[in-house]
Amino acid sequence: MESDQRRKRKRLTRPIIYSSFFSVRPLLLCFSFISLLYFVSNCIHVINPSSFKPILVVSTFPLLSSSPIKSFRHYRSSISTKKTVPNSLRIEDRVLFPDHVLLLVSNLDKRDEFECVYFCKNGSDCDEIWKLGRSVLSVDEYGEFQSVVRCPIPPLNYSAAVGLGRGGRRKVLDEGLGKNNGVVHSWETLVYAAVLDGETVVVFVKGLNHRPDRESDPAQFGCHWERDGRFRVYTKAITVAQEVVRCLLPKRIGLMKPGSRVTIGVNPSLLPRSIGLMNPVKDEGVPITVGVNPNIRARGGGGGGHVLVPSVAKVFGANLEEKGEKRMSRGDFSKKYELCVCSMVWNQAPSLREWIMYHAWLGVERWFIYDNNSDDGIQNVIEELELEDYNVSRHVWPWIKTQEAGFSHCALKARDECNWVGFMDVDEFFYFPFPTRKQRSRKYRFHGQNSLRNLVMNISSTSSRIAEIRTACHSFGPSGLSSPPAQGVTVGYTCRLQSPERHKSIVRPDALDATLLNVVHHFHLRKGFRYLNLPQGAAVINHYKYQVWESFRAKFFRRVATYVADWQENQNEGSRDRAPGLGTEAIEPANWHLQFCEVWDTGLRDFVLANLADFSTGLLPWEKRNSL
């Protein structure tokens, strides 16, 4: 009996064993097949570069200054690594300026009303009023994927790690970076912008080199590219001058793997037009920074001895795609504007219409306006000019006292669009004086509409080696006025200093030296090119430098040039950068309206009234909108 039961148990248990075996085997086979597919797909991504859409993002380069610079390891470890929800607002960086805190923000919706939120320093007794937040000073788009938000400087007991909240709801956004542990960069030492240029990257750095109009030894510097969350890839600098560092791009695609935040070693001219569209982090960019070797003699080692400078700049692969699409949309790759103008402005909205309309009449076809933190509604003025068919673009440039670097940036930006680019301020007006009997040469005489464009076209046709046109400036004074002239500066100011002061230039951007070195007034040219000084009898620039006190005192806020002292500083008081006899405070001197008047010069006034005034109403083009 027992043997029969034992045989039955064996028959029952055998099928169970076999069935479990056959149920596990298919699972193992499926798992092995899926693993094989995953491995093959990864290999295909690495081997076939066309299937991997690269995105280059470049952070700005570090600068040397009197403030201590930590190694990047310490710098990076202090940054919060909190993961954020896709497409949620994120404060990426903060920069502390003398008069505000700048927030670089991604995924910001300008339809929301934001306020700046402040946090107490550890152990501080804070004012409840400040805890409620402050209105933002300004909100602007900065490139395609970022925005800049400017906040007031916090009080003494508050951290500069300012957060953002939605007005009225007191909800702090992006709390992980909004508290006191958020990193705040000092403006004194910072990599702040970067641009791809062929097989190099041009990086803009504050605090790196304070020597004007001079090059530095590039062997002391190098660029460090982020890979897998750290700056692991190094490329050498080939030129360094003032605030501009030019480095090579990495050469090998194999340095990066699928899923990395940057793809390197691809010639940008060979990249597909769909670059970046298949990369899920295309709107994050690829950080880059500059390394400085404090030991001048230690020039090797692939950047191993470098101290890295904090960086906030990025270069996006999508920018390359956008650039290609814009050029294709024109239908002709060789078509360029003959004459463009670049200027950096702060609160020049009232002056912009006259300056642009006048020079458009002289033949300027395109304007690049670098807005340096204006708060006077200049964006509305530019939009109005665009509606009136003036080809003006506004470029947000939040970096203070960087005019030379901004002009280098603009030279790169304008090179693909313009044959010639003039670098002028909005109080400078190009003028062709009426020739006298003594001035018999007609080589550079062009009068009437499009005269300035005709001049550069004539020079281009007669010499391929002239790449810069220099024009002397006459500085005008208040001319007896006590309030801004109603018809504009060209008509109102008619008395000037006798001797010219300096010059301004129109350049060929394709002929500039690789350093992009400039001193505002002129650029350095590549070997083989030369500049031309226009005779004063042929052309001058009327510089309305010393206007009525109401307009002039705004200069005391800050000057945009890097290597020129601000008016409040007791430096270089005898130089031509300052008003003779003017102190360091915005106090109107006695008889200001009569100063800087040595020669009465009504030439440009008479020219404007004769050529640009409406025949029936007498109104000038920039007056018409105000009369409606």
Side-chain angles (χ1 to χ4, degrees):
M1 189 72 178
E2 291 179 0
S3 61
D4 292 337
Q5 290 179 352
R6 196 177 295 114
R7 283 193 296 270
K8 288 180 180 179
R9 283 197 297 269
K10 287 182 178 180
R11 284 195 299 269
L12 289 172
T13 55
R14 283 174 185 169
I16 294 173
I17 294 172
Y18 289 145
S19 63
S20 63
F21 174 79
F22 285 107
S23 63
V24 172
R25 184 178 181 183
L27 291 176
L28 292 173
L29 290 173
C30 290
F31 179 79
S32 300
F33 182 72
I34 292 172
S35 300
L36 179 62
L37 287 177
Y38 179 78
F39 176 78
V40 171
S41 64
N42 279 343
C43 290
I44 291 173
H45 273 287
V46 173
I47 295 171
N48 182 9
S50 65
S51 65
F52 180 56
K53 307 303 181 183
I55 292 185
L56 272 176
V57 177
V58 183
S59 298
T60 46
F61 298 65
L63 315 175
L64 288 178
S65 71
S66 57
S67 60
I69 304 176
K70 297 182 179 180
S71 69
F72 182 73
R73 182 177 303 166
H74 295 95
Y75 159 70
R76 190 72 178 181
S77 64
S78 63
I79 299 178
S80 172
T81 57
K82 174 184 175 182
K83 294 182 180 180
T84 57
V85 179
N87 298 323
S88 63
L89 182 145
R90 184 170 69 255
I91 299 175
E92 297 184 352
D93 288 292
R94 299 173 180 83
V95 181
L96 179 61
F97 287 92
D99 56 356
H100 69 277
V101 179
L102 181 77
L103 309 183
L104 287 164
V105 183
S106 61
N107 303 322
L108 184 144
D109 189 346
K110 293 187 68 175
R111 293 173 297 182
D112 283 336
E113 294 184 4
F114 294 100
E115 63 180 10
C116 304
V117 179
Y118 298 84
F119 303 92
C120 297
K121 293 180 180 178
N122 293 333
S124 298
D125 183 17
C126 294
D127 190 339
E128 290 294 330
I129 296 178
W130 274 90
K131 288 182 180 179
L132 297 178
R134 284 292 182 272
S135 298
V136 300
L137 300 175
S138 66
V139 178
D140 257 312
E141 293 181 0
Y142 183 61
E144 186 177 356
F145 300 111
Q146 288 182 305
S147 300
V148 291
V149 179
R150 294 170 62 240
C151 290
I153 290 287
L156 182 63
N157 293 335
Y158 287 80
S159 169
V162 183
L164 285 179
R166 287 193 174 94
R169 283 175 278 179
R170 307 298 177 211
K171 180 180 179 181
V172 179
L173 307 174
D174 195 14
E175 292 189 44
L177 290 177
K179 297 183 179 180
N180 294 11
N181 62 346
V183 173
V184 181
H185 301 291
S186 169
W187 172 236
E188 299 299 322
T189 305
L190 188 69
V191 175
Y192 59 92
V195 178
L196 292 174
D197 184 23
E199 296 184 357
T200 66
V201 60
V202 178
V203 184
F204 300 86
V205 188
K206 197 70 177 176
L208 180 65
N209 183 358
H210 292 289
R211 294 179 297 177
D213 201 21
R214 291 180 61 185
E215 296 184 43
S216 297
D217 181 6
Q220 302 176 43
F221 307 92
C223 293
H224 296 253
W225 305 72
E226 182 176 295
R227 175 193 174 193
D228 298 335
R230 294 192 179 186
F231 288 113
R232 299 177 184 271
V233 180
Y234 166 82
T235 59
K236 69 177 183 178
I238 54 177
T239 65
V240 180
Q242 296 182 167
E243 294 189 359
V244 180
V245 177
R246 184 187 292 271
C247 288
L248 295 173
L249 296 182
K251 293 183 178 180
R252 290 188 297 155
I253 298 176
L255 289 174
M256 310 307 292
K257 62 182 180 180
S260 299
R261 294 183 63 204
V262 59
T263 299
I264 53 180
V266 182
N267 188 328
S269 63
L270 302 179
L271 292 174
R273 290 182 61 244
S274 59
I275 176 173
L277 296 180
M278 297 183 65
N279 193 317
V281 293
K282 77 184 183 88
D283 59 342
E284 293 184 8
V286 180
I288 184 176
T289 190
V290 169
V292 182
N293 196 330
N295 186 354
I296 298 177
R297 293 172 296 178
R299 301 190 178 187
H306 282 174
V307 175
L308 302 185
V309 181
S311 173
V312 300
K314 293 183 177 181
V315 172
F316 298 87
N319 291 344
L320 297 176
E321 175 193 3
E322 178 187 11
K323 182 178 178 180
E325 288 179 347
K326 284 184 177 180
R327 292 195 66 192
M328 289 188 69
S329 66
R330 299 190 194 115
D332 184 355
F333 282 83
S334 62
K335 179 64 175 177
K336 290 185 179 182
Y337 300 109
E338 194 64 40
L339 180 59
C340 306
V341 166
C342 178
S343 186
M344 186 173 291
V345 302
W346 174 76
N347 283 0
Q348 293 289 337
S351 307
L352 200 61
R353 291 184 63 83
E354 178 183 10
W355 182 72
I356 284 179
M357 290 180 169
Y358 171 79
H359 286 99
W361 195 87
L362 291 184
V364 176
E365 303 164 286
R366 174 86 165 91
W367 283 265
F368 299 88
I369 305 299
Y370 277 53
D371 187 354
N372 195 213
N373 300 318
S374 298
D375 57 8
D376 63 345
I378 194 169
Q379 184 174 3
N380 296 330
V381 175
I382 291 174
E383 290 174 354
E384 291 172 358
L385 289 165
E386 280 277 82
L387 292 175
E388 297 173 43
D389 293 329
Y390 292 94
N391 192 3
V392 187
S393 60
R394 173 176 173 261
H395 305 273
V396 175
W397 187 258
W399 319 114
I400 64 174
K401 287 192 74 65
T402 57
Q403 187 176 25
E404 295 88 342
F407 279 1
S408 297
H409 189 279
C410 188
L412 290 175
K413 196 174 189 70
R415 186 180 55 197
D416 288 340
E417 297 187 45
C418 313
N419 288 327
W420 292 85
V421 183
F423 291 86
M424 305 164 59
D425 296 330
V426 296
D427 59 356
E428 296 169 343
F429 288 74
F430 214 99
Y431 171 50
F432 294 93
F434 191 80
T436 64
R437 293 180 179 178
K438 295 181 180 180
Q439 299 166 350
R440 298 182 179 182
S441 173
R442 298 182 177 273
K443 186 175 182 180
Y444 301 117
R445 285 193 202 155
F446 296 89
H447 300 281
Q449 197 164 6
N450 296 321
S451 53
L452 187 54
R453 185 165 75 238
N454 291 337
L455 170 67
V456 299
M457 291 175 65
N458 179 66
I459 291 175
S460 294
S461 63
T462 56
S463 175
S464 61
R465 292 301 177 185
I466 295 178
E468 183 173 31
I469 304 168
R470 297 182 178 181
T471 309
C473 299
H474 283 302
S475 296
F476 281 70
S479 306
L481 302 179
S482 298
S483 58
Q487 289 186 287
V489 298
T490 54
V491 174
Y493 297 119
T494 54
C495 198
R496 60 172 173 83
L497 298 177
Q498 183 172 7
S499 300
E501 291 184 334
R502 293 184 170 170
H503 62 266
K504 288 298 173 76
S505 297
I506 303 174
V507 303
R508 280 177 46 189
D510 64 327
L512 299 184
D513 187 75
T515 60
L516 300 175
L517 188 59
N518 70 85
V519 287
V520 178
H521 311 287
H522 61 264
F523 279 79
H524 287 208
L525 303 176
R526 287 194 284 117
K527 187 176 181 180
F529 293 94
R530 61 187 180 88
Y531 64 85
L532 169 70
N533 281 321
L534 286 179
Q536 291 187 38
V540 296
I541 288 177
N542 281 12
H543 184 188
Y544 299 103
K545 181 177 180 179
Y546 309 110
Q547 301 186 23
V548 297
W549 185 255
E550 177 185 338
S551 301
F552 183 83
R553 67 181 176 184
K555 293 180 180 289
F556 278 84
F557 176 74
R558 184 185 298 115
R559 306 184 77 174
V560 295
T562 308
Y563 303 101
V564 175
D566 286 341
W567 293 97
Q568 306 97 313
E569 298 176 3
N570 187 18
Q571 298 179 21
N572 303 325
E573 292 191 57
S575 74
R576 288 179 292 180
D577 291 322
R578 307 183 70 97
L582 193 65
T584 59
E585 298 181 7
I587 300 175
E588 182 176 1
N591 298 321
W592 173 264
H593 64 291
L594 299 177
Q595 293 188 30
F596 316 108
C597 182
E598 296 175 349
V599 177
W600 288 97
D601 183 347
T602 62
L604 184 52
R605 181 199 67 181
D606 298 339
F607 177 85
V608 166
L609 293 176
N611 291 279
L612 278 75
D614 186 273
F615 181 77
S616 57
T617 64
L619 293 175
L620 295 166
W622 45 90
E623 291 184 282
K624 291 181 179 180
R625 177 169 289 276
N626 297 332
S627 66
L628 296 178

